[in-house]
Amino acid sequence: MSSPSPVARPVAPWLPGLVACAAAAAVAWGVHWLVPAVPLLTAAVVLGIVVGQLPVARPAVTGRLAPGLSLSAKRLMRIGVVLLGLKLSLGDIAHLGWVAILTTVAVVLLSFAGTFWIGRLLRLPGHQPLLIATGFSICGASAIGAMSGVVKPKDEEAATPVALVTLCGTLAIFVLPLLWHPLGLDAQQFGHWVGAGVHDVGQVVATAQLAGAAALAVAVVVKLTRVLMLAPMVAIAAVVERRRHVAGDPSVKRPPIVPLFVAGFLLAVLIRTFVPLPAAVTDGADTAQTVLLAMALFGLGTAVRLRTLLGTGWRALVTALASWALIAALALAAVWVSTAA
């Protein structure tokens, strides 16, 4: 009597979810192409959130697609953060001048501390205060993904900050241009304000381009200066996390002081600064980074549960809106200080 044949197991259980993320990135690109005011990465997050709410899609999201969605949200996010470093040259930052550099760093540190304090004051659970502070003060959902690589939050803990930073960054695209002229800002000042106060790089581009090429150039450099703060902030979080592990259970594996993807990000910045890269290389890296982050953000978006967010997440929403207002005010103050200097 022959024994029953073993059930075939998929060679790559993550493949279906990865394909779904790639398809979603293509759809997000199509939305951005049809409506350029909608950043591609914002479209990817929103698409993931929508899919995550559909009852017909939920069994697949939590079942067959789950390994690939998780792979995209974590590993592809880290690779995208590394490639983000190739957008940033230390020379571009130096051209801003020391006053603009110092005020930009101050905006990041003050907004991070203020947001973290508000989140703790409102008793947000787990790592949410840290993740919201990171995303709002540095570079949106990609920063949340980078910090998540160190503190290892639950999927829903990371998904809520991503949804909130996407919401507020999208609002900025429409609100900040309405305040441009009433605040008496010229085009370059407006670009500086957008770069210092809007969260995601794509949202910065979508907002600043309304004021022309000069405003866009300033906005992108100021924004990438904020992005550079991602490395030290994540490294500090890693040190704190290591100490927490030692104080709790020394046998538990501790995170590295400088995560590998953060070291890769810094290396990419140095390569862009000191190595003359052909345009084809930088353009290709930019495209790859955008695709990887779009896939990662779709994966993160599918973990958002709006019913839970609306039912118990009002404190997170208040934290996000307060942080959004705080960063906009600090960024405007930085513009005035830089102009006066």
Side-chain angles (χ1 to χ4, degrees):
M1 182 176 180
S2 60
S3 60
S5 59
V7 178
R9 300 185 66 182
V11 177
W14 43 262
L15 187 58
L18 204 63
V19 171
C21 289
V27 172
W29 179 85
V31 171
H32 173 65
W33 182 74
L34 290 172
V35 188
V38 178
L40 191 154
L41 299 184
T42 299
V45 176
V46 172
L47 182 60
I49 293 173
V50 170
V51 169
Q53 313 317 305
L54 297 176
V56 67
R58 197 162 300 160
V61 167
T62 58
R64 186 163 179 254
L65 300 181
L69 295 174
S70 178
L71 177 73
S72 295
K74 296 174 182 176
R75 294 190 181 181
L76 296 191
M77 174 70 78
R78 295 172 196 174
I79 298 172
V81 169
V82 171
L83 293 178
L84 185 60
L86 289 177
K87 285 187 172 183
L88 180 58
S89 167
L90 297 179
D92 292 335
I93 294 176
H95 288 155
L96 287 175
W98 68 270
V99 175
I101 293 173
L102 289 180
T103 55
T104 300
V105 172
V107 168
V108 171
L109 295 178
L110 292 174
S111 59
F112 181 93
T115 303
F116 184 78
W117 177 80
I118 294 170
R120 292 295 296 271
L121 182 68
L122 293 177
R123 299 179 182 178
L124 296 186
H127 294 292
Q128 280 193 7
L130 174 64
L131 296 178
I132 293 176
T134 303
F136 276 72
S137 65
I138 303 177
C139 57
S142 55
I144 294 171
M147 188 63 78
S148 297
V150 171
V151 300
K152 308 295 184 185
K154 299 177 182 178
D155 287 346
E156 56 270 22
E157 276 186 14
T160 296
V162 167
L164 292 172
V165 81
T166 301
L167 169 65
C168 291
T170 303
L171 288 175
I173 297 173
F174 301 100
V175 173
L176 265 61
L178 297 177
L179 300 176
W180 170 16
H181 294 298
L183 289 172
L185 303 176
D186 61 30
Q188 289 196 347
Q189 289 173 329
F190 177 73
H192 188 165
W193 185 37
V194 171
V198 179
H199 315 310
D200 182 81
V201 176
Q203 294 162 347
V204 167
V205 172
T207 309
Q209 67 184 358
L210 298 174
L216 180 58
V218 172
V220 169
V221 175
V222 172
K223 176 60 195 174
L224 292 179
T225 303
R226 289 171 61 197
V227 172
L228 189 60
M229 294 292 292
L230 179 64
M233 301 296 275
V234 170
I236 291 171
V239 171
V240 173
E241 194 71 4
R242 283 172 64 90
R243 290 181 177 177
R244 189 176 68 84
H245 279 297
V246 170
D249 184 358
S251 65
V252 177
K253 184 180 178 182
R254 295 174 293 173
I257 294 178
V258 179
L260 183 60
F261 71 92
V262 174
F265 169 79
L266 292 174
L267 178 61
V269 172
L270 294 176
I271 290 174
R272 179 60 188 268
T273 302
F274 298 107
V275 179
L277 297 175
V281 172
T282 56
D283 291 345
D286 183 56
T287 300
Q289 175 250 331
T290 301
V291 171
L292 290 172
L293 289 182
M295 294 173 65
L297 292 176
F298 173 79
L300 274 174
T302 59
V304 175
R305 296 293 176 265
L306 290 181
R307 180 176 297 179
T308 302
L309 181 62
L310 295 174
T312 63
W314 66 268
R315 293 188 299 271
L317 180 60
V318 171
T319 301
L321 293 175
S323 176
W324 184 44
L326 173 64
I327 294 170
L330 289 172
L332 185 60
V335 172
W336 287 335
V337 170
S338 299
T339 303

